[in-house]
Amino acid sequence: MANILCIGAGYVGGPTMAMIAKHCPEHRITVVDVSAKRIEQWNSENLPIYEPGLLEVVQEVRGRNMFFSTEIALGIEEADMIFVSINTPTKTYGEGAGRGTDLQYWEQVARAILSNSKKKNVIVVEKSTLPVRAAAAMARILHSESNGVHFEVISNPEFLAEGTAIKDLTEPDRVLIGGRSNESGHKACKTLADLYAHWVPREKILLANVWSSELSKLFANAMLAQRISSINSITALCEKTGADISEVSHAIGMDKRIGPHFLQASVGFGGSCFRKDILHLAYLCEHYGLPEVAEYWDSVVSMNDYQINRFFKNILTSQFSTLANKKMAILGFAFKPDTGDTRDTPALPICRKLLEERASISISDPQALDNARFELEGVEGEIHYEQDPYLACQGAHSLLLITHWQEFRQLDYQRIFDSMAKPAFIFDGRNFLDHQHLFEIGFNVFPLGKPALSHLQ
Ligand code: NAD
Ligand code: UGA
């Protein structure tokens, strides 16, 4: 039996450790965090994050072989293996501001591990997404003093997506482990691989060198985001030419070499990682003297900003270039469905722009209203939050579909239309609704990358 510790009880630390605890009942797993509130929530029925299926797994393992605690030093003292799953945000100050990774929390954790570790051999697993060579920097700190502990730092990036975390963790496409190519490195990688092998087929557990592992994580996110920016760039061309983005996406996705995934046109990608990780990747390229490569990846983020802005401008121009005193119903504030996470959600810049135009906004989201309140705290203007989407739409001039929650497709749009100001507009930022049906009800419908259906001359 080993004592496994995870530092950081967030969207990654909580679900990944719950999955390890579920499949490895012989090991004791402790998850620690500086936030007492988060730990308290993990120890309750009201978990700090909304993730389908997560509560059931936590209920199965909590108190059996999984524990949540704020006792970080004690946790480190007892640990044979330490996962580090803290946030690695973009730096907001000094050199690399707005692009590089802020490594201060990472370094604090390294120093806490160095001061408190007591076991003879400790494996440190880099779970957070970090710049290439961060594991080596961590190893340097850990070996800066001789406290009798042998540390082996390995990289094991996480590829789960929010909203499908439990499925992604249960049946991962692959598990990637990067370690040093010496005996100690191999041994540490094997120990971690054996843990995953409790439920992941061996052929899906890949071993690599540390830097390949770190880079693969950044690059995987950059590639996924690049597909979205590519399809979104073509929505603009479709709107000019009369082509239909859904038909184009379907046609190119049937090519096996391209594949159908991540070709869903949208108001723009969001989430805590895509923008952050691409900016880190571009910054790394700059750092290593590759400005052309950095520029290439930066353009993926610029295209996303362009798409968000284009969506907003379309709302403004199609409503006679004034939104002052008009009510806008915002359906969905989370960055994607099945999560309450609003980090870097496209809903935020859109709401800000609407408020700057002196529109009032009324936001409805099944899981993200508390986070929406937090994101919009201090922003000037008239903002309403409604759990009930029908109330959010009542008296509105326009309805903006930002997050494609399944329940938004099942609404009674005739009832919504009857309660709205006329002419009534729908801007579908996900091409998710039945546009022809909405048009027949009487809405003026503005999809992405396909002709608008308008009753106005
Ligand atoms: P998060 O903000 O939800 O959780 C991080 C937690 O770490 C917070 O609860 C914070 O209080 C805690 N923390 C910070 N410093 C600490 C310290 N010194 N000691 C103890 N606890 C500390 O972040 P997240 O979304 O779980 O992401 C964590 C990492 O995983 C990031 O590097 C991210 O890029 C990566 N990642 C995230 C996802 C995702 O879907 N969210 C997926 C794959 C990878
Ligand atoms: C993403 C990756 O998919 C994960 O593999 C990765 O582990 C994670 O980032 C991370 O490192 O944090 P996540 O951000 O949770 O996961 O969600 P995605 O499903 O990737 O969606 C990201 C954004 O892209 C969302 O706003 C989504 O609506 C948007 N999207 C996705 C599109 O606009 N079109 C698509 O076709 C797919």
Side-chain angles (χ1 to χ4, degrees), residues 191-443:
T191 306
L192 184 57
D194 288 347
L195 208 60
Y196 281 110
H198 281 67
W199 79 98
V200 179
R202 283 275 178 191
E203 64 275 14
K204 291 198 170 181
I205 304 175
L206 307 182
L207 299 182
N209 81 39
V210 189
W211 305 301
S212 305
S213 171
E214 290 175 330
L215 181 56
S216 301
K217 172 63 200 176
L218 286 182
F219 187 39
N221 275 357
M223 282 295 284
L224 291 169
Q226 176 260 323
R227 283 175 70 99
I228 304 168
S229 276
S230 296
I231 199 81
N232 282 346
S233 74
I234 299 301
T235 58
L237 187 58
C238 284
E239 285 164 31
K240 295 280 182 207
T241 59
D244 181 321
I245 197 68
S246 301
E247 292 173 359
V248 173
S249 168
H250 184 62
I252 66 157
M254 282 181 76
D255 185 325
K256 284 196 196 69
R257 296 166 302 173
I258 296 175
H261 302 293
F262 270 70
L263 289 178
Q264 177 60 48
S266 67
V267 54
F269 60 72
S272 62
C273 294
F274 276 0
R275 176 186 298 270
K276 157 176 94 66
D277 291 349
I278 299 169
L279 292 175
H280 292 181
L281 180 65
Y283 184 63
L284 265 181
C285 296
E286 249 167 43
H287 174 80
Y288 285 104
L290 304 168
E292 293 84 355
V293 186
E295 199 183 322
Y296 174 74
W297 288 107
D298 273 335
S299 73
V300 172
V301 174
S302 318
M303 181 51 62
N304 200 52
D305 293 339
Y306 166 77
Q307 183 75 344
I308 293 173
N309 209 23
R310 215 170 67 76
F311 183 74
F312 163 72
K313 282 203 174 138
N314 203 12
I315 296 167
L316 183 61
T317 50
S318 45
Q319 287 181 93
F320 327 112
S321 294
T322 175
L323 301 178
N325 301 316
K326 287 182 181 165
K327 177 175 172 180
M328 306 281 136
I330 314 290
L331 291 195
F333 199 89
F335 80 98
K336 65 183 284 196
D338 294 323
T339 178
D341 196 350
T342 57
R343 291 178 291 179
D344 204 27
T345 174
L348 184 59
I350 289 165
C351 287
R352 281 181 180 278
K353 286 171 194 288
L354 295 172
L355 291 165
E356 278 164 19
E357 290 296 330
R358 308 215 171 147
S360 74
I361 60 174
S362 188
I363 303 169
S364 188
D365 188 291
Q367 292 292 337
L369 281 193
D370 286 348
N371 282 336
R373 275 194 193 89
F374 173 78
E375 301 275 7
L376 285 161
E377 207 179 300
V379 177
E380 259 181 51
E382 191 181 334
I383 311 173
H384 301 274
Y385 301 92
E386 301 284 2
Q387 200 63 51
D388 180 348
Y390 293 106
L391 285 180
C393 296
Q394 207 166 57
H397 295 77
S398 291
L399 186 163
L400 282 48
L401 193 285
I402 305 288
T403 318
H404 48 303
W405 284 94
Q406 203 53 43
E407 40 268 71
F408 290 155
R409 210 198 305 250
Q410 282 139 16
L411 295 173
D412 178 349
Y413 282 93
Q414 181 67 58
R415 177 178 162 196
I416 288 178
F417 179 78
D418 293 343
S419 78
M420 283 177 68
K422 306 294 178 321
F425 294 81
I426 285 194
F427 298 89
D428 186 350
R430 301 283 178 172
N431 282 348
F432 182 63
L433 303 174
D434 182 341
H435 299 149
Q436 188 58 35
H437 173 62
L438 295 170
F439 177 66
E440 281 160 19
I441 289 175
F443 283 105

Side-chain angles (χ1 to χ4, degrees), residues 65-82:
N65 64 327
M66 183 172 197
F67 305 89
F68 293 94
S69 159
T70 50
E71 294 197 64
I72 300 175
L74 179 66
I76 295 173
E77 219 173 274
E78 294 174 342
D80 303 289
M81 182 183 272
I82 303 175

Side-chain angles (χ1 to χ4, degrees), residues 7-13 32-35 38 72 85-88 105 108-109 127-129 158 160 162 217 272-273 276-277 343:
I7 303 180
Y11 285 86
V12 168
V32 291
D33 203 288
V34 280
S35 164
R38 268 210 160 168
I72 300 175
S85 187
I86 59 159
N87 40 328
T88 50
Y105 312 108
Q108 279 163 17
V109 169
K127 194 56 149 163
S128 298
T129 304
E158 185 48 61
L160 69 80
E162 289 178 29
K217 172 63 200 176
S272 62
C273 294
K276 157 176 94 66
D277 291 349
R343 291 178 291 179

